[in-house]
Amino acid sequence: MVPLNRYTLFSSVDLDEARELVALKFCPHKLQTISDTDRFHARHNCVEGAKLAINYIHYGATVLIEPGALEHFYLVQIPLRGSAEIRNGGVEVESDPQTATILNPDRHTRMIWRAGCEQLLVYVDALTLNAFAESFFGRRMPALPAFEPRIDFSRPQMARWRQHVLALFASADEGRLF
């Protein structure tokens, strides 16, 4: 079953339309197919809260996605199927179902999602996360928190964290979230 199936924003075979609609939820970005042999068919499902949104996206084909710096949000990307090459700042991560990523908002981002890649995305407002960090540490932060882009699910604590995120998506699927 496709995650967040009840919350489809769009399903399209038109690259320009997909770029435009995804940009409305995230930010302007470059989106282009890399292979002429792959079949492009984008789908975006989304459930939004005030400062957090959970998403499911796939493009079908191998695509280059280049938003530059995200500026206003962090984006956690958890592949369900397939793989992607993610560059956030100077760090490149080969992402797959055992390796997720977190994109820092102040670093240039460039991604290649390979054909068949399906990802869960958690959008977190940058100022909200910064306010949480300031409250947690009890002091003003000199800059937005920065994270290592690679999330390794072979680490037990990260595997548990993934289970919590999957439970969040399951709650949304059951209509018990936001």
Side-chain angles (χ1 to χ4, degrees), residues 162-172 176-177:
R162 176 175 52 184
Q163 292 307 315
H164 291 295
V165 172
L166 294 176
L168 180 73
F169 276 79
S171 291
R176 298 185 290 122
L177 187 65

Side-chain angles (χ1 to χ4, degrees), residues 66-87:
E66 191 167 5
L70 305 177
E71 296 182 13
H72 305 293
F73 63 96
Y74 292 84
L75 192 64
V76 178
Q77 301 183 115
I78 304 169
L80 293 176
R81 289 172 199 74
S83 64
E85 177 184 307
I86 310 297
R87 177 175 288 279

Side-chain angles (χ1 to χ4, degrees), residues 116-159:
C117 184
E118 297 179 38
Q119 297 210 46
L120 300 178
L121 308 174
V122 180
Y123 170 107
V124 181
D125 177 76
L127 293 178
T128 300
L129 182 65
N130 190 63
F132 174 81
E134 288 179 345
S135 174
F136 182 81
F137 291 113
R139 62 182 170 84
R140 286 202 34 83
M141 303 297 287
L144 290 174
F147 297 93
E148 170 64 36
R150 179 186 169 87
I151 300 172
D152 183 357
F153 291 134
S154 70
R155 296 175 47 210
Q157 64 273 35
M158 296 316 298

Side-chain angles (χ1 to χ4, degrees), residues 10-15 18-19 22 31 39-44 57-61:
F10 76 87
S11 179
S12 177
V13 296
D14 184 289
L15 182 83
R19 179 187 315 106
V22 170
L31 175 66
R39 182 175 172 263
F40 182 85
H41 182 204
R43 180 177 182 142
H44 184 183
I57 296 182
H58 81 84
Y59 292 102

Side-chain angles (χ1 to χ4, degrees), residues 35-102:
S35 170
D36 292 334
T37 60
D38 297 336
R39 182 175 172 263
F40 182 85
H41 182 204
R43 180 177 182 142
H44 184 183
N45 300 344
C46 178
V47 178
E48 292 183 87
K51 303 294 181 179
L52 176 88
I54 58 175
N55 303 264
Y56 163 84
I57 296 182
H58 81 84
Y59 292 102
T62 299
V63 293
L64 167 68
I65 307 164
E66 191 167 5
L70 305 177
E71 296 182 13
H72 305 293
F73 63 96
Y74 292 84
L75 192 64
V76 178
Q77 301 183 115
I78 304 169
L80 293 176
R81 289 172 199 74
S83 64
E85 177 184 307
I86 310 297
R87 177 175 288 279
N88 185 237
V91 179
E92 189 168 307
V93 177
E94 205 41 55
S95 184
D96 58 36
Q98 288 304 308
T99 308
T101 56
I102 182 165

Side-chain angles (χ1 to χ4, degrees), residues 14-27:
D14 184 289
L15 182 83
D16 293 328
E17 178 185 38
R19 179 187 315 106
E20 201 173 292
L21 293 172
V22 170
L24 290 174
K25 288 296 176 190
F26 295 105
C27 61

